[in-house]
Amino acid sequence: MSSPFLKQVFQKDKTFRPKRKFEPGTQRFELHKRAQASLHAGLDLRQAVQLPPGEELNDWVAVHVVDFFNRLNLIYGTVSDGCTERSCPIMSGGPKYEYRWQDEHRFRKPTALSAPRYMDLLMDWVEVQINNEDIFPTNVGTPFPKNFLQAVRKIMSRLFRVFVHVYIHHFDRIAQMGSEAHVNTCYKHFYYFVTEFGLIDTKELEPLKEMTTRMCH
């Protein structure tokens, strides 16, 4: 990560959601450390995402979902000053793709929103999901719900839209800060992970299909 990126991320006037952390001594903390160690050792990302022998799939997935949420929060935070109601009145990924927001509370029907409003709602929604003990249990021995992977697919599909909007509408900002390599590595890691475990519909990947082909194949 380059220093301009770090400076931007840690500016005092930038507010980021607190990171969801794993408690030391827990199984998930150990998995988190192992996943991080693989990345720092320069292990091929395709291999780094594979389920380690003897580990539970749901634990491995939970660790990565939280990690991707934290990282995408930072990535969007670095371009958010250039993502405004005026510059991005519609949450889109180029002219062909528009994303509408829907949730269980205020927006029961898919609703067109500006990109910054959509991003706020998206990050808040994901944060609620990953802090919900019924979906992401933290106590050792508490089983994951039967619909855990289904819930994860929805989270990952929505997080993918952050990459779509950032790459298509704000990549000049990323490039200007010298953060291309960091964001590209993050994207590849995310892509290999969701495709390894079937956590995203192919149609969701369409907006970045050409770039992904160049970068990941």
Side-chain angles (χ1 to χ4, degrees):
M1 234 193 288
S2 64
S3 55
F5 183 82
L6 282 172
K7 277 183 196 153
Q8 180 75 16
V9 165
F10 296 114
Q11 268 180 3
K12 285 198 287 288
D13 62 336
K14 289 278 177 194
T15 53
F16 292 104
R17 291 160 177 79
K19 277 188 165 192
R20 170 80 192 265
K21 291 196 171 73
F22 301 102
E23 290 302 314
T26 63
Q27 172 71 1
R28 251 169 260 158
F29 180 75
E30 295 306 318
L31 280 177
H32 176 67
K33 278 204 312 192
R34 185 190 296 195
Q36 293 303 309
S38 295
L39 291 179
H40 294 150
L43 188 66
D44 176 78
L45 286 170
R46 268 199 186 91
Q47 290 177 276
V49 300
Q50 290 169 9
L51 181 66
E55 297 299 349
E56 285 291 328
L57 173 63
N58 287 347
D59 279 317
W60 187 241
V61 168
V63 163
H64 282 80
V65 172
V66 173
D67 191 40
F68 288 129
F69 168 68
N70 288 335
R71 285 199 263 168
L72 276 161
N73 237 319
L74 290 179
I75 288 170
Y76 180 67
T78 63
V79 302
S80 61
D81 55 350
C83 183
T84 64
E85 302 280 334
R86 177 179 264 181
S87 68
C88 304
I90 293 169
M91 173 58 184
S92 61
K96 283 171 65 181
Y97 300 95
E98 180 186 333
Y99 299 116
R100 298 185 170 213
W101 183 256
Q102 184 174 17
D103 57 32
E104 302 80 30
H105 308 293
R106 255 186 87 188
F107 300 97
R108 291 178 177 269
K109 291 181 180 173
T111 307
L113 298 170
S114 69
R117 180 86 178 102
Y118 186 103
M119 292 291 190
D120 269 349
L121 289 166
L122 186 156
M123 295 300 186
D124 285 346
W125 178 82
V126 175
E127 189 176 20
V128 167
Q129 306 301 304
I130 64 177
N131 285 301
N132 182 342
E133 288 284 331
D134 293 334
I135 304 172
F136 283 76
T138 51
N139 293 329
V140 177
T142 304
F144 283 88
K146 285 180 180 165
N147 68 339
F148 174 66
L149 290 179
Q150 187 183 330
V152 166
R153 283 187 187 97
K154 190 166 185 181
I155 292 170
M156 298 307 251
S157 290
R158 286 183 161 181
L159 285 177
F160 185 78
R161 294 169 187 181
V162 179
F163 277 124
V164 172
H165 186 73
V166 166
Y167 268 119
I168 292 175
H169 296 280
H170 301 291
F171 196 71
D172 54 342
R173 179 83 175 121
I174 296 289
Q176 182 190 349
M177 292 164 62
S179 304
E180 290 168 72
H182 170 82
V183 175
N184 288 348
T185 299
C186 250
Y187 177 74
K188 285 198 277 190
H189 191 197
F190 185 98
Y191 174 80
Y192 289 138
F193 190 79
V194 294
T195 51
E196 172 77 12
F197 299 108
L199 296 175
I200 201 163
D201 284 339
T202 312
K203 69 175 193 298
E204 282 285 345
L205 300 171
E206 280 293 317
L208 297 180
K209 190 176 177 182
E210 282 181 35
M211 183 194 83
T212 306
T213 303
R214 287 197 309 273
M215 202 188 284
C216 303
H217 295 286

